[in-house]
Amino acid sequence: MTRKPTAKPPNKPPGKPAAKVLEAATRPVEVVGQTLERAYKQARNFAGGAPSSAAPSPAKAALPVSPLAVAFPAMPPIAGVRMATARAGFYKHERDDLLVMTFPMGASAAGVFTRHGVGSAPVDWCKRHLEMTKGEGVRALVVNAGCANSFTGRPGADAVRRVCSAAAKRFDCRQRDVMVASTGVIGVLLDDARIVHRLPDIEHRFTDDGWAGAAQAIMTTDTFPKGAHAVAEIDGVEVRISGIAKGSGMIAPDMATMLAFVVTDAAISPGALQNLVSLYTRSTFNAVTVDGDRSTNDTLLLFATGQSGAAKISRAGDRRLADFRDKLEQVLMDLAQQLVRDGEGAAKFITVTVTGAQTHASARKIARTICESPLVKTAFAGEDANWGRIVMAVGRADEPMDRDSMSVKFGDLVAAHDGLVSPTYDEAKMSAYMKNSELEVSVDVGVGRAAATMWTCDLTKRYVEINGDYRS
């Protein structure tokens, strides 16, 4: 599933009537749109998956595509899934910002969501209704980009309810059978009428082969659309797994700002699906970090249509799911690492592995501290093998470690060993290695056998520029 990077591009207050609350909350949308349109760029020349004919034109001042970008993969239809995109108008320029997916009767769903204290209205809706239905009978998914509908109080929850009510009427199902997700600026109330008014039109645009357009429609500051696909076997029957994701900044564990929607045609019970998605989120989306900031809207939804013809599986540990489990983790890992590759302003993709720790949790905390250190990340941006900053980050993780046994490596090059600079340290070789676009850092802390790996990117001037201009 590894793909080669694409070529580098050139350089509510009390007492206020509801109508007034709505007007005040939605007013910033147009202003925000002026900035966000600069952050949108339509990817082109996908390998095996060209954009749909309805795909919008890129904004004039779009961000350049990440030099770490990978080509959008060939993603065949998943039996039972139909999708369509449209322009709801959350951005001023011409681009699709609305995605709708539909699923057949009997489909299952499961999800993992942000643990952020300020969860969004769409997250609240999905969590509540997945618990109510136990993941059974999901029929539709409605996603918008350009407005997060987070920190919007009761009006935000009402907007989600109206969207789901309208979708339920269109697709002949119950409100609770509709999942929703939003991404964009926090604190802006969703103008649900923009979505509701587009449903009659989008109903006539459904296709079973629109993955590339779907991935583009959910983008915000992303510079390329993200997709992954795999084929697995369940008891000798071929099943497919496909997923799309969005995310570029505000990416950190629990969960990684991101939305991800993964669909399989396998027949798997909701309980088993939930166990699988919860398990593999830990080693994928919860193992990447761009800037250490978590989002209010993080959502990962996994759907199973049951249309492959394979036997229905009711337990996540069923031996017949062995290949499926491996392939599902691969798809999630592919999508998660693409978030890092599209890190705002990123030029380096970095793998950090910590070994010799007392526990996995300890190793993970040390790795995350290294990955999120501004000093470490800026050193990578400057192509400086400053192993002293790595040592600094390890120490401030406040986890067990042995200073006099610790070692640090950049790729195969040993920078420090047994608490000292390595006798084989070669500045010229280190400098040459740091010019690579993909780097590996290994740290052994010398107190045990546990290990953990995380993925991150460098911190460049472009990150500051992108986020400094986000709303201005």
Side-chain angles (χ1 to χ4, degrees), residues 106 152 158 199 216 277 302-303 352 418:
T152 51
D158 289 342
L199 291 179
Q216 292 179 56
V277 73
L302 174 60
F303 304 93
V352 175
D418 288 339

Side-chain angles (χ1 to χ4, degrees), residues 111-112 273-283 286:
V112 179
L273 271 189
Q274 187 61 61
N275 288 335
L276 290 172
V277 73
S278 296
L279 174 63
Y280 294 125
T281 295
R282 299 174 191 171
S283 58
N286 278 357

Side-chain angles (χ1 to χ4, degrees), residues 74-199:
M75 292 175 62
I78 298 291
V81 181
R82 305 193 74 210
M83 63 197 79
T85 64
R87 183 190 179 205
F90 292 107
Y91 294 89
K92 294 191 66 158
H93 60 283
E94 288 287 338
R95 62 153 287 180
D96 284 5
D97 52 11
L98 175 63
L99 166 65
V100 178
M101 287 187 177
T102 61
F103 310 98
M105 294 288 291
S108 301
V112 179
F113 305 91
T114 182
R115 297 182 185 179
H116 198 287
V118 185
S120 68
V123 166
D124 291 347
W125 176 277
C126 289
K127 292 170 65 176
R128 182 169 67 251
H129 289 89
L130 280 177
E131 182 177 358
M132 181 186 300
T133 64
K134 306 303 181 184
E136 297 179 345
V138 65
R139 296 297 307 280
L141 168 68
V142 180
V143 187
N144 76 273
C147 175
N149 196 20
S150 175
F151 205 67
T152 51
R154 181 59 182 270
D158 289 342
V160 168
R161 177 182 50 78
R162 289 191 293 267
V163 167
C164 292
S165 177
K169 290 176 182 177
R170 282 284 164 188
F171 307 127
D172 192 24
C173 63
R174 303 166 298 184
Q175 288 185 35
R176 67 187 189 183
D177 298 332
V178 180
M179 295 290 101
V180 288
S182 298
T183 181
V185 176
I186 296 170
V188 177
L189 177 62
L190 180 71
D191 183 358
D192 54 281
R194 293 175 184 250
I195 297 175
V196 173
H197 291 164
R198 294 297 288 160
L199 291 179

Side-chain angles (χ1 to χ4, degrees), residues 263-342:
V263 188
T264 178
D265 54 7
I268 303 177
S269 71
L273 271 189
Q274 187 61 61
N275 288 335
L276 290 172
V277 73
S278 296
L279 174 63
Y280 294 125
T281 295
R282 299 174 191 171
S283 58
T284 59
F285 287 106
N286 278 357
V288 299
T289 179
V290 168
D291 48 21
D293 281 326
R294 287 183 286 140
S295 168
T296 60
N297 290 57
D298 294 340
T299 298
L300 166 57
L301 289 169
L302 174 60
F303 304 93
T305 69
Q307 303 290 296
S308 66
K312 185 168 185 177
I313 308 296
S314 58
R315 295 187 306 106
D318 192 308
R319 61 178 179 78
R320 293 171 294 177
L321 274 185
D323 188 42
F324 180 89
R325 288 192 295 265
D326 288 344
K327 298 300 172 54
L328 175 62
E329 184 175 26
Q330 287 178 30
V331 167
L332 298 183
M333 180 65 81
D334 193 343
L335 293 173
Q337 292 189 358
Q338 287 186 54
L339 302 182
V340 173
R341 291 182 175 278
D342 204 15

